[in-house]
């Protein structure tokens, strides 16, 4: 009887010791997390500072990541790793924008305007391809400027001489379209004159283009002291009319500005799929003409992509030299 009494007491002591131990452990565990005392406070402070520094460092190269497609290791914190996975998924879902810019070597502002356009395009979330065309010259700073932009680009040159400015610009656009067709580049094509000024949301909108997209454009001139709007009148993205300045409805001449519409590039290299074969052959030498004809062939395929009713202008064209 004495033995069982003693062993009972020992078990009781053990229980007490274990309980005590557990209690101390739990208390110690939570005390470790409590933000009390000076040492803990200092640590929180410095880690917050480090995070801030990190984010400052990371913000700068991030826009470049998608463009060049490398340097994933720049981010080290798990938080930004998650962000990056998200942005990678977005990149896959985003459609490519193909921006075509003809240039004029007689324009004294060409270098400046190229840089300004490059700075705009650099802010557009990738994928974006910029096709810049110029006439072959002995010396030109176009290549140097393009190399330093950080935008994905193709630089095309041509040999022909032109006396007429409009003919030359159309030739340059055609050259770019031929390039897209030949290399089967997939994306939404937009003709961007170097004198265009953009609201960045413009590039979000045109990504929603399926076949043909159109949007309003404002022309500004220092001389005329007025703004002219060109482009579609829409109702729930459906084009119901056009702002017409000159009543030209012959298919060669769009009633909208060349920068006022965009299209799915696959109509160039896969016209059969789009049912455009009859005049695809006839205009093999002139892709621009083909695109313009296709644009007006079926107005039901044109969507107003600026905003629901196309009432907001996101692109302005400056007439600097007139
Ligand atoms: C954060 O940047 C500041 C100023 O640039 C610097 O003084 C500080 O040491 C940096 N902190 C860390 C943790 O890198
Ligand atoms: C274009 O004009 C330049 C002189 O202005 C001339 O040297 C060149 O041969 C011309 N090129 C063509 C293809 O006619
Ligand atoms: C262009 O249209 C084709 C055929 O409908 C489609 O498969 C492709 O994704 C479109 N491209 C873009 C960039 O929307
Ligand atoms: C951290 C890292 O990978 N940095 C690399 C980023 O890419 C450049 C050039 O592409 C490399 O020189 C860096 O080493």
């Amino acid at each position: 009887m004495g033995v069982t009494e003693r062993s009972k007491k020992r078990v009781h002591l053990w229980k007490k010791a274990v309980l005590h131990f557990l209690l101390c452990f739990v208390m110690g565990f939570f005390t470790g997390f409590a933000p009390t005392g000076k040492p803990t406070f200092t640590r929180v402070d410095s880690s917050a500072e480090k995070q801030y520094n990190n984010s400052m460092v990371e913000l700068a190269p991030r826009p470049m990541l998608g463009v060049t497609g490398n340097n994933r290791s720049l981010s080290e914190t798990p938080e930004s790793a998650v962000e990056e996975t998200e942005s990678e998924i977005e990149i896959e879902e985003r459609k490519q924008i193909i921006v075509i810019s003809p240039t004029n070597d007689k324009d004294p502002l060409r270098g400046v305007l190229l840089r300004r356009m490059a700075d705009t395009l650099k802010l557009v979330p990738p994928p974006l391809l910029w096709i810049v065309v110029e006439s072959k010259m002995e010396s030109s700073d176009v290549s140097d400027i393009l190399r330093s932009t950080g935008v994905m680009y193709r630089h095309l040159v041509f040999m022909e001489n032109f006396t007429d400015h409009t003919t030359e610009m159309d030739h340059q656009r055609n050259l770019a379209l031929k390039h897209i067709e030949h290399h089967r580049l997939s994306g939404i094509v937009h003709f961007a004159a170097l004198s265009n000024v953009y609201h960045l949301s413009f590039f979000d909108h045109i990504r929603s283009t399926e076949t043909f997209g159109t949007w309003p454009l404002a022309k500004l001139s220092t001389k005329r002291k007025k703004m002219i709007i060109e482009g579609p009148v829409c109702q729930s993205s459906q084009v119901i009319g056009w702002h017409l300045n000159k009543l030209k409805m012959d298919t060669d001449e769009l009633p909208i500005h060349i920068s006022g519409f965009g299209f799915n590039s696959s109509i160039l290299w896969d016209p059969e799929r789009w049912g455009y074969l009859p005049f695809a052959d006839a205009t093999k030498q002139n892709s621009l003409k083909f695109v313009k004809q296709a644009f007006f062939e079926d107005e039901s395929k044109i969507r107003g992509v600026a905003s629901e009713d196309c009432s907001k202008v996101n692109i302005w064209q400056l007439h600097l030299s007139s």
Side-chain angles (χ1 to χ4, degrees):
M1 187 168 173
V3 176
T4 40
E5 190 73 28
R6 210 184 297 154
S7 74
K8 245 189 194 171
K9 206 173 179 182
R10 203 183 287 158
V11 168
H12 187 71
L13 270 173
W14 264 107
K15 266 189 186 169
K16 217 173 159 183
V18 167
L19 204 74
H20 193 84
F21 175 76
L22 273 177
L23 208 69
C24 285
F25 178 78
V26 168
M27 269 182 70
F29 188 77
F30 284 107
T31 319
F33 282 108
T36 52
K38 213 178 171 217
T40 326
F41 186 72
T42 321
R43 201 197 296 155
V44 168
D45 199 27
S46 78
S47 80
E49 193 183 22
K50 190 164 173 238
Q51 260 180 347
Y52 181 68
N53 282 7
N54 271 353
S55 69
M56 290 297 279
V57 172
E58 274 170 25
L59 272 177
R62 184 159 293 158
M64 293 289 299
L65 285 176
V67 178
T68 52
N70 54 18
N71 263 354
R72 294 252 148 71
S73 56
L74 270 171
S75 58
E76 271 148 26
T77 59
E79 210 180 329
S80 64
V82 170
E83 265 177 44
E84 238 170 73
T85 326
E86 275 170 9
S87 76
E88 257 171 50
I89 292 165
E90 268 178 42
I91 286 167
E92 270 174 38
E93 283 171 356
R94 265 191 231 120
K95 287 181 181 176
Q96 171 154 267
I97 300 172
I98 304 175
V99 177
I100 297 176
S101 295
T103 68
N104 180 2
D105 56 54
K106 289 167 201 81
D107 183 355
L109 298 178
R110 179 168 75 164
V112 178
L113 294 178
L114 258 177
R115 275 185 210 282
R116 192 189 55 163
M117 181 66 81
D119 283 344
T120 300
L121 298 181
K122 199 157 43 176
L123 298 175
V124 178
L128 180 143
L129 176 66
W130 189 23
I131 302 181
V132 179
V133 195
E134 70 159 335
S135 68
K136 189 162 173 55
M137 302 263 290
E138 290 280 307
S139 68
S140 155
D141 54 357
V142 172
S143 314
D144 291 335
I145 294 173
L146 289 177
R147 247 196 305 273
S148 65
T149 58
V151 177
M152 191 160 72
Y153 70 91
R154 306 249 170 129
H155 182 192
L156 309 180
V157 293
F158 61 96
M159 302 288 285
E160 292 88 341
N161 287 330
F162 290 91
T163 46
D164 181 50
H165 177 68
T166 314
T167 316
E168 179 177 348
M169 291 299 115
D170 279 354
H171 176 75
Q172 296 196 22
R173 292 183 188 114
N174 257 321
L175 215 65
L177 294 179
K178 283 274 179 298
H179 183 82
I180 292 170
E181 184 183 340
H182 186 252
H183 296 280
R184 300 193 158 228
L185 304 176
S186 176
I188 302 300
V189 180
H190 166 58
F191 296 105
L194 290 184
S195 56
N196 289 1
V197 177
Y198 293 91
H199 191 294
L200 277 179
S201 68
F202 168 81
F203 297 97
D204 292 335
H205 289 308
I206 72 167
R207 284 200 156 109
S208 66
T209 301
E210 280 160 24
T211 311
F212 284 105
T214 183
W215 44 80
L217 171 144
K219 281 176 151 180
L220 300 164
S221 154
T222 44
K223 271 201 173 160
R224 269 176 286 168
K225 290 201 177 101
K226 64 174 181 181
M227 188 166 80
I228 297 170
I229 305 282
E230 289 192 10
V233 181
C234 318
Q235 211 166 50
S236 320
S237 302
Q238 193 67 50
V239 177
I240 55 167
W242 304 92
H243 295 284
L244 292 182
N245 288 306
K246 34 188 182 190
L247 286 167
K248 265 197 205 160
M249 275 309 284
D250 103 56
T251 47
D252 224 28
E253 201 61 47
L254 294 176
I256 54 167
H257 196 272
I258 188 84
S259 290
F261 76 103
F263 58 92
N264 182 325
S265 66
S266 77
I267 74 162
L268 293 170
W269 40 264
D270 195 9
E272 286 152 71
R273 174 165 183 169
W274 297 88
Y276 292 131
L277 191 60
F279 49 81
D281 270 350
T283 56
K284 249 206 153 63
Q285 291 313 305
N286 195 338
S287 308
L288 188 61
K289 195 172 173 184
F290 162 64
V291 169
K292 286 176 173 181
Q293 282 179 339
F295 184 79
F296 274 106
E297 171 92 345
D298 183 2
E299 269 194 41
S300 70
K301 285 198 179 119
I302 310 172
R303 310 295 286 171
V305 297
S307 53
E308 279 288 292
D309 55 357
C310 306
S311 58
K312 193 167 178 292
V313 171
N314 285 321
I315 164 170
W316 298 264
Q317 181 158 68
L318 305 183
H319 285 262
L320 298 162
S321 49
S322 58

